[in-house]
Amino acid sequence: MSAPLPINFAKPDADALAAVTGRIALLLSPDGKSGALGRRLDRLSRGAIARATASAAWDRLKAGEGVDIAWPAGLQAEALQLVKLPRRATVAEARKAGATIGKALGAGGVTVVAEGQVRLSDLALGLVLRAYDFTAHKTSGVKERGAVTILTADPEAAEAGTRSAMAVAEGVCFTRDLVNEPANVLTTTDFASRLKAMEKLGLKVEVLDEEALTKLGMGALLGVGQGSESPSSVVVMQWNGGKKGDAPFALVGKGVVFDTGGISIKPAAGMEEMTMDMGGAGVVAGVMRTLALRKARANVVGLVGIVENMPDGRAQRPGDVVKSMKGDTIEIINTDAEGRLVLADVLWYAQERFRPTGMINLATLTGAIIIGLGHEHAGVFSNDDALSAAFLKAATAEGEGAWRMPMGQAYDDMLKSRIADMKNTGGRPGGSITAAQFLKRFVKDETPWIHLDIAGVALPPGETTLAPKGATGWGVMALNRLVADMLEG
């Protein structure tokens, strides 16, 4: 995997600044003031910092943004980056500052002068996440990343304070790798193997193959994958860091490694991005990795349904009727509404086996949510106000956009079928809501539940503050925060 960039911490040495190579990033308050190291750098660079911070260009910068002084006089560094950051910065400002440094990182590495900054863990997290680059399939043109050293008065305390953040960073990077991988590499078998390998982190991981799924009666999930040469599976990841015997909280993810739409085939334009249709499962995997790495004091189970949706002589057709594990029958109106079929069986299995205290599923489920919320927010659908509020609070704290959407009987009525218990789609109007209503039919009344439609945020069309163009890993930070707040508090 793309391992997160390691962060080194060291005590400041003013006399060594002139000889530092690579880049130097200096954190400055909005008024341009700095500590002793900043003043030394200003003297060495013959007042370049003072001139820069007195300029209109500096005034226009927002908190977390920066400006470069290339090949500064009096220094061996190739660039001196001045980053505007209040000493009492917010979480978002500190992470943005880190991202500004990480985006500019090159082969020569960077030395970060962070005098007096209290949000070093957020600075480091932003740096590592923005420095991420998926290069597994490039043979040339790969931008090298040098070492990162943050100068701080107490390196040991700083390192200890960032361990949890680096666990989050690894979970996010793991999710990004999974979502960025092409489907000929991340096959259903390879995906399951990568998750199985997380046993070395202390997770208990089981892979349920097609024979086991058939015995369980998962006809909805198996119907999606029957047109593919790649076998379907359900992977169960358990982290038991809480009180022994306590019921876990459940995370469930849609893992369609490639979605052609099946017989209801998608248009060719843009189909190459359907490698990301396992994004929900990727987030669940990243969260479970993070919980294991930071030894979370909670019981959490992650379940993902892994399939490939292909057109084939054996593929399910519009008009087919399948039977779910719950026992309900489903008329297939559109084979491209397949993710909800996968989730239906995994949601029911999660409840039957684990009796979870609550349950959240994630899926790149509908294009309709992108029409409604764009690429700024995931859609939040829930049967429980308290759980929904807790998640929205966690998402806001982590800067991951989420917006609660309505549900109701009128939407549910749109799923009525003439020949089966329900249809798998209610048509275009309210498409993301009817998809949520479909899933709700497989959630027991006593189970607090959230459905997160992440179609717009998993792979946005451009870069974001903390991610280059490509997979974002949206949801790992928010769900990790939710577990910490709700289960470990």
Side-chain angles (χ1 to χ4, degrees):
M1 64 167 284
S2 303
L5 205 65
I7 302 288
N8 305 304
F9 295 93
K11 288 187 175 182
D13 183 352
D15 295 332
L17 287 174
V20 170
T21 57
R23 297 175 62 83
I24 296 176
L26 173 63
L27 303 182
L28 293 166
S29 61
D31 60 8
K33 291 182 179 179
S34 63
L37 293 181
R39 293 192 293 273
R40 172 66 72 90
L41 285 169
D42 190 45
R43 290 194 295 273
L44 288 169
S45 63
R46 301 173 188 173
I49 296 172
R51 291 192 298 275
T53 56
S55 69
W58 176 260
D59 290 339
R60 287 193 295 268
L61 292 179
K62 297 177 181 178
E65 295 179 342
V67 62
D68 271 15
I69 301 174
W71 301 109
L75 298 174
Q76 292 296 310
E78 63 189 53
L80 176 58
Q81 185 180 38
L82 309 181
V83 181
K84 182 183 284 189
L85 189 66
R87 286 184 179 266
R88 295 192 177 277
T90 66
V91 169
E93 289 170 343
R95 290 179 181 179
K96 185 175 182 179
T100 296
I101 299 167
K103 182 178 180 179
L105 183 63
V110 65
T111 298
V112 182
V113 181
E115 294 176 284
Q117 183 51 240
V118 297
R119 293 200 179 276
L120 289 184
S121 64
D122 290 305
L123 180 85
L125 180 62
L127 195 161
V128 169
L129 291 182
R130 190 57 185 83
Y132 170 90
D133 193 14
F134 185 71
T135 61
H137 306 291
K138 290 185 177 181
T139 59
S140 62
V142 176
K143 183 179 179 181
E144 293 185 39
R145 306 281 199 243
V148 177
T149 300
I150 297 178
L151 303 182
T152 181
D154 192 341
E156 291 79 13
E159 183 177 1
T162 59
R163 283 174 191 156
S164 181
M166 291 305 98
V168 172
E170 183 165 330
V172 172
C173 290
F174 186 63
T175 296
R176 289 179 180 177
D177 279 359
L178 291 170
V179 177
N180 281 326
E181 281 283 20
N184 63 323
V185 174
L186 191 76
T187 62
T188 58
T189 302
D190 180 76
F191 195 178
S193 296
R194 294 191 193 199
L195 302 188
K196 183 68 174 175
M198 289 203 292
E199 284 187 324
K200 65 185 179 184
L201 301 178
L203 290 164
K204 179 181 178 182
V205 183
E206 305 165 70
V207 180
L208 307 179
D209 60 15
E210 289 188 346
E211 182 179 355
L213 302 184
T214 300
K215 290 180 180 178
L216 288 167
M218 292 194 185
L221 182 152
L222 289 168
V224 175
Q226 70 188 39
S228 173
E229 294 297 317
S230 297
S232 301
S233 65
V234 170
V235 179
V236 181
M237 298 163 279
Q238 297 183 63
W239 174 254
N240 296 313
K243 186 177 178 181
K244 186 175 181 180
D246 280 2
F249 191 86
L251 303 175
V252 177
K254 169 190 171 184
V256 181
V257 296
F258 194 78
D259 181 21
T260 65
I263 298 301
S264 306
I265 197 164
K266 293 177 181 289
M271 197 194 293
E272 71 278 2
E273 289 194 346
M274 285 301 100
T275 57
M276 53 76 79
D277 212 23
M278 39 57 64
V283 174
V284 171
V287 175
M288 298 305 295
R289 190 177 192 91
T290 295
L291 298 179
L293 286 169
R294 70 174 184 81
K295 308 299 182 187
R297 302 183 310 278
N299 295 335
V300 181
V301 58
L303 305 97
V304 297
I306 302 178
V307 303
E308 184 178 39
N309 188 22
M310 298 288 282
D312 180 80
R314 296 183 295 114
Q316 68 179 4
R317 299 150 289 227
D320 283 1
V321 174
V322 296
K323 190 174 185 179
S324 69
M325 181 183 173
K326 179 185 176 185
D328 289 346
T329 57
I330 305 163
E331 180 187 5
I332 307 302
I333 300 298
N334 188 325
T335 64
D336 194 24
E338 87 299 333
R340 64 201 70 182
L341 300 172
V342 174
L343 290 171
D345 277 341
V346 183
L347 286 168
W348 195 255
Y349 176 74
Q351 293 166 97
E352 288 287 283
R353 177 175 173 184
F354 292 104
R355 301 289 193 271
T357 58
M359 184 167 61
I360 296 178
N361 72 257
L362 301 95
T364 49
L365 205 64
T366 67
I369 202 67
I370 303 176
I371 302 303
L373 298 177
H375 298 282
E376 304 302 317
H377 293 81
V380 180
F381 304 82
S382 182
N383 67 355
D384 187 274
D385 291 343
L387 180 59
S388 177
F391 174 77
L392 289 169
K393 180 181 177 182
T396 299
E398 295 296 334
E400 295 193 311
W403 194 264
R404 189 169 184 183
M405 300 288 286
M407 299 183 73
Q409 189 59 46
Y411 297 106
D412 196 79
D413 290 343
M414 295 165 70
L415 298 171
K416 290 179 180 178
S417 167
R418 179 179 61 85
I419 63 172
D421 295 325
M422 71 193 79
K423 300 185 294 186
N424 76 323
T425 176
R428 288 176 61 84
S432 61
I433 305 175
T434 55
Q437 292 290 161
F438 179 92
L439 295 177
K440 186 175 182 291
R441 292 183 174 216
F442 298 89
V443 177
K444 299 180 180 183
D445 291 340
E446 65 269 22
T447 304
W449 161 78
I450 292 176
H451 158 53
L452 297 175
D453 193 335
I454 64 171
V457 294
L459 190 78
E463 66 177 60
T464 65
T465 300
L466 298 182
K469 185 176 181 180
T472 62
W474 182 101
V476 173
M477 294 191 296
L479 288 169
N480 175 68
R481 171 66 70 98
L482 179 70
V483 169
D485 290 348
M486 190 172 67
L487 305 179
E488 299 179 270

